[in-house]
Each structure stands twice: as C-alpha cells, then as structure tokens.
C-alpha cells in the first residue's frame, strides 16, 4: 500500500518540498522553480510517493499496453545526431537498409489475421524517401487494412519531407493525413534547449519546428506523443525547459497523449564517453515528469529500452503505460545498447509482467480506448 499523502506532507521537514507535496494533494500545478527543486532536493521515496499518488488519482491501478509492430523504412539518414548508433550517413549508404513499398506492405500483410491495432513507422531521413513515396505507402496500408492505426514519422522526418516537397507544414500534414496517417510518434524531440541541442543534434529540426509540427497535427484533430532523450550532457534546468515547452503546447491543443522519457544509451555512438544515468535517476525522472506534466494524461516507460524489470519498477514511479508487444524489427535501441537486444514480448508475458506488480493490465488502442481488460484472463 502506498504512503498516505497527509503522512508525507506532515513528515517532510524541508519547507519547499512540503509546499510542493501540498500542491500535489490539492491538484495544483507546480512551477518551473519547484520542478527544479524536485530534481535538486527530492529524494526517490519522496518524488515516488507523489508521482504514485497522482498516478492513482488519474488511473487507479490500470496499466495500459497495446499490440503493435514497428516498421523501420531505412537507417540511412542525412542527419548526424551524436547519440545515434543506428543511422548510416547517406554517403555510406551501402552499409544501411532501404525498404521498398512492397517490402513494407509485406510486413503489414504478415500480421493479417492477428489482433494488432497499430503500426509504428519511424526511421532515418532518406533523401529519396519523399512525400510521394510515403503517401503511396499510407494509401496502400489503409487499402489493405483500413482499421490499422498508422502512427508514423517523427517531426524530424516530416520537416525534411515537407521542406523537400516545398510544402508548408499545414499542406504537408494534411496530405499525409488524407492519405492515412493517423497520429505522430514522439521521437526527434531529444532536448529542446538550443545550448544542448546544438551539441547533440545540431542539424535537424529545432524546438520551434518540432513543436509547430505537433501543433499543426493537433489542429487537424490528430494526436501525438512527446519524448525527451535524457541522461547525457543535459542539466536539470534543460529537462525542465523541455517539459515546460511541452506543457505550454498541451495547454493550447490538448493533443498529446503520452510523455515518453528515453534513457540515453551509450553503445557505439559518438557519445560513448558519456556515462549512462543510474536507475535511481531514471525513476526520479519518471516521477518528476509525472508531477510536472499535469496536463499529460499518460506517462509511458518504453520497456525495450529500460528492460522488463525496470519497466515494472517504473509502475511505482508514475508510469501507467508500458507500450506494446513489439516484434524484433526495432533496431534503434538494440544498436545503442538497450536492455532488450531482441525486443519481443507476447501479450501473455506483458500481462504477467503487469500483474506481478499488482497492476491491472488493460489493452488499449493508440488513442487509449479500452480494447480488452486482462485482469481476470488466465488463458491466452
Ligand atoms: O528521437 C536514438 C531515441 C528516438 C538513442 O511515440 C535514443 O510511442 C537512447 O521516438 N539512446 C526515436 N535513445 C524513438 C521514439 C519512440 C520510441 C517508442 C515509442 C514512441 C512513441 C516513440 O529514439 C529518437 C531518439 O530520441 N534514440 N538514439 C540512444 N543512443
Ligand atoms: Fe537520423 Fe534520427 Fe539517428 Fe538523428 S536520431 S541521425 S535524425 S536516425
């Protein structure tokens, strides 16, 4: 059983932390300064108790997952993010892969008859894979399986596509939406603050561009996710700056579904000299994100990156979603040294993982409509 919020407030000596705990109890928004205070002074049990309180208030014991698969059209990329272990520069493209439309459609067809609700399509930024290419892909996927939710393209891929096609964001987004694009994943956000972004992802879309693309998607009625790549050279203030920009946009559009912190992994990239964050820092970040982002309905732990046991642990630090049953075509993390080298988990395994820590497993679709309650299911 979790600690009572009244006991927590009562027993907290530090006056700043006490006042934050009171705000959480009263369902009031914390300020940027208070967010920073949590990073600087909030120990894991304290922030964890607050995040747990918020999670219970929002979702009870429900933990969501979905049934999806990933397609990565290419790992060839015109950009050169320092943390990326996955991309092959266009100049060295012989080392990379490029899937044709038919190959991608065959991946979709390989899930025919399986109860999958979503395809997640994200890859490198290949100069030849343009608007026309992806419009055709969207149309063919929808013609084959109209009910499959297509969550595709980071703002980085979209900005490049629209720029090459000489389209405004509004025009480009509308064309893709009309062709079948349903929502946007949260990638490419990294760290918005220019002082850090210029050091780790200098040549791709900046914060303003990333946020504007998501805003336009929201204006068209689409939903999206937001990520933050943390645990490298950023400071606490940059994390708060990042989350502040997201919270402001969410106040305006209410179009974000979930926030997904992505732990920096240091294998085989140009930032291998940077140590990875500790599990304590990871859990503190989840908890503080849950407290600060009061207008984000969901907080997701991406289990292929964190590993199964840490994903379970995160459910006690504000997380209410552990993504999906991903097949082993997801390479971006395994190539960077993530916990799961071949991330594949059956629905049964995912359900057991959630039940083991006394949470209620609920399969959702991309927009968090309930597909199936697995609390009582024993036969798969
Ligand atoms: O933007 C790249 C990250 C992201 C590394 O919306 C790395 O449901 C850690 O956005 N260490 C792409 N992270 C993936 C992504 C995503 C994943 C899962 C779910 C959703 C969703 C979105 O992968 C990139 C970047 O931040 N990444 N390299 C690395 N070395
Ligand atoms: Fe390209 Fe994405 Fe890797 Fe950056 S993170 S180099 S945009 S594939």
């Amino acid at each position: 059983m979790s600690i009572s919020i009244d006991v927590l407030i009562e027993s907290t000596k530090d006056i700043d932390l006490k006042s934050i705990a009171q705000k959480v109890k009263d369902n009031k928004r914390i300020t940027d300064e208070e967010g920073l205070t949590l990073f600087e002074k909030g120990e894991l049990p304290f922030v964890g108790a607050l995040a747990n309180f918020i999670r219970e208030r929002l979702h009870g014991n429900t933990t969501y997952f979905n049934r999806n698969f990933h397609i990565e059209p290419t790992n060839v990329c015109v950009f050169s993010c320092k943390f990326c272990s996955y991309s092959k520069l266009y100049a060295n493209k012989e080392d990379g892969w490029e899937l044709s439309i038919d190959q991608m459609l065959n991946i979709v067809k390989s899930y025919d008859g399986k109860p999958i609700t979503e395809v997640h399509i994200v890859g490198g930024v290949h100069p030849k894979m343009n608007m026309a290419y992806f419009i055709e892909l969207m149309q063919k996927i929808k013609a084959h399986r109209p009910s499959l939710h297509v969550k595709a393209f980071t703002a980085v891929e979209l900005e490049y596509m629209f720029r090459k096609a000489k389209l405004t964001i509004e025009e480009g987004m509308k064309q893709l939406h009309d062709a079948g694009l349903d929502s946007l994943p949260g990638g490419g956000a990294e760290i918005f603050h220019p002082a850090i972004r210029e050091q780790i992802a200098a040549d791709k879309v900046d914060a303003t561009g990333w946020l504007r693309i998501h805003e336009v998607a929201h204006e068209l009625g689409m939903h999206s996710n937001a990520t933050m790549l943390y645990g490298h050279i950023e400071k606490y203030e940059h994390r708060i700056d990042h989350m502040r920009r997201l919270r402001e946009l969410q106040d305006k559009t209410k179009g974000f579904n979930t926030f997904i912190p992505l732990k920096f992994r240091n294998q085989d990239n140009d930032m291998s000299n940077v140590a990875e964050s500790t599990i304590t820092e990871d859990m503190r970040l989840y908890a503080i994100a849950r407290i600060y982002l009061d207008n984000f309905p969901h907080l997701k732990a991406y289990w292929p990156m964190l590993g199964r046991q840490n994903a379970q642990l995160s459910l006690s630090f504000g997380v209410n979603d552990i993504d999906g049953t991903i097949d082993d075509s997801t390479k971006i993390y395994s190539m960077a040294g993530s916990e799961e080298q071949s991330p594949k988990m059956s629905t049964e395994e995912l359900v057991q993982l959630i039940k083991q820590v006394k949470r209620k497993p609920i399969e959702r679709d991309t927009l968090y409509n309930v597909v199936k309650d697995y609390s009582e299911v024993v036969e798969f």
Side-chain angles (χ1 to χ4, degrees):
M1 203 174 82
S2 45
I3 178 178
S4 131
I5 189 105
D6 291 317
V7 172
L8 185 72
I9 296 169
E10 188 73 29
S11 60
T12 302
K13 301 262 168 338
D14 183 290
I15 172 166
D16 300 326
L17 294 177
K18 197 185 199 60
S19 138
I20 293 172
Q22 186 64 49
K23 272 190 160 178
V24 169
K25 182 187 172 195
D26 298 341
N27 210 358
K28 292 204 178 117
R29 173 169 284 191
I30 66 161
T31 64
D32 292 358
E33 291 68 33
E34 288 167 333
L36 211 49
T37 300
L38 288 177
F39 276 122
E40 282 160 0
K41 296 201 281 193
E43 290 192 17
L44 185 61
F46 177 80
V47 293
L50 291 184
N52 215 29
F53 176 79
I54 297 170
R55 191 231 352 122
E56 281 175 354
R57 184 164 62 198
L58 288 172
H59 305 289
N61 277 337
T62 294
T63 297
Y64 292 103
F65 67 95
N66 71 341
R67 296 214 214 189
N68 64 359
F69 64 98
H70 284 222
I71 298 179
E72 297 180 354
T74 181
N75 67 340
V76 172
C77 190
V78 296
F79 297 120
S80 46
C81 305
K82 290 232 171 69
F83 55 80
C84 184
S85 320
Y86 158 91
S87 71
K88 298 286 164 216
L89 278 176
Y90 190 55
N92 303 323
K93 65 178 184 314
E94 307 69 52
D95 303 338
W97 73 82
E98 304 173 15
L99 300 184
S100 67
I101 290 179
D102 281 347
Q103 283 173 313
M104 290 192 267
L105 206 57
N106 283 338
I107 298 177
V108 174
K109 288 179 181 166
S110 71
Y111 290 92
D112 282 358
K114 294 188 182 151
I116 295 278
T117 57
E118 173 192 284
V119 55
H120 175 136
I121 308 175
V122 164
V125 179
H126 192 302
K128 302 260 165 61
M129 293 183 175
N130 56 16
M131 278 294 285
Y133 191 83
F134 284 123
I135 283 177
E136 188 183 338
L137 176 67
M138 300 287 103
Q139 287 168 338
K140 288 193 164 156
I141 292 177
K142 285 292 180 178
H144 180 72
R145 191 163 172 175
S147 64
L148 189 65
H149 185 107
V150 180
K151 180 178 76 177
F153 312 126
T154 65
V156 176
E157 294 165 274
L158 292 170
E159 187 275 338
Y160 184 83
M161 251 189 258
F162 300 161
R163 184 154 43 93
K164 285 273 278 194
K166 299 195 172 29
L167 293 170
T168 63
I169 298 173
E170 287 79 359
E171 291 163 344
M173 196 69 77
K174 172 110 188 24
Q175 287 185 18
L176 285 172
H177 188 40
D178 289 348
L181 177 65
D182 293 301
S183 66
L184 307 188
E190 322 312 357
I191 286 283
F192 288 142
H193 197 287
I196 303 300
R197 200 170 186 85
E198 276 157 22
Q199 293 183 65
I200 64 167
D203 52 0
K204 70 185 187 188
V205 68
D206 65 5
T208 312
W210 191 99
L211 290 161
R212 180 68 195 142
I213 284 173
H214 282 255
E215 184 172 5
V216 171
H218 299 170
E219 284 164 4
L220 285 171
M222 299 159 78
H223 284 262
S224 72
N225 293 334
T227 57
M228 175 170 79
L229 179 72
Y230 73 92
H232 42 90
I233 58 166
E234 90 288 0
K235 302 265 190 306
Y236 292 149
E237 70 211 58
H238 302 120
R239 295 181 184 180
I240 291 292
D241 173 82
H242 190 94
M243 293 195 286
R244 178 183 46 74
R245 295 178 201 234
L246 292 173
R247 195 167 76 170
E248 281 172 7
L249 180 55
Q250 180 73 334
D251 275 343
K252 223 167 136 184
T253 65
K254 306 202 171 24
F256 288 117
N257 277 334
T258 180
F259 181 62
I260 314 160
L262 295 173
K263 176 190 173 92
F264 165 69
R265 310 305 305 233
N266 69 4
Q267 202 173 291
D268 292 329
N269 55 45
D270 290 346
M271 289 170 66
S272 295
N273 58 320
V274 177
E276 292 180 359
S277 63
T278 62
I279 189 68
T280 308
E281 263 301 294
D282 296 336
M283 295 303 133
R284 259 171 31 90
L285 173 70
Y286 279 108
I288 296 169
R290 183 59 286 172
I291 299 164
Y292 182 88
L293 289 173
D294 61 341
N295 55 3
F296 269 66
H298 305 285
L299 179 65
K300 177 152 98 180
Y302 188 56
W303 67 261
M305 170 68 82
L306 270 185
R308 291 159 209 236
Q309 287 176 338
N310 292 339
Q312 272 181 330
L313 187 61
S314 74
L315 298 179
S316 294
F317 292 90
V319 169
N320 69 298
D321 184 346
I322 52 171
D323 209 83
T325 49
I326 298 158
D327 83 322
D328 61 4
S329 62
T330 309
K331 300 191 181 63
I332 192 158
Y333 305 104
S334 48
M335 289 166 84
S338 63
E339 296 304 314
E340 304 280 340
Q341 287 304 304
S342 180
K344 195 171 188 167
M345 217 187 323
S346 67
T347 304
E348 183 170 2
E349 286 171 306
L350 207 57
V351 164
Q352 295 314 342
L353 198 88
I354 295 168
K355 281 189 177 170
Q356 266 180 355
V357 287
K358 308 273 185 286
R359 297 281 187 267
K360 189 175 160 192
I362 302 282
E363 184 189 343
R364 60 163 175 88
D365 66 13
T366 313
L367 304 179
Y368 289 83
N369 300 303
V370 174
V371 175
K372 185 167 175 175
D373 181 347
Y374 278 85
S375 350
E376 308 299 332
V377 176
V378 277
E379 301 252 330
F380 287 83

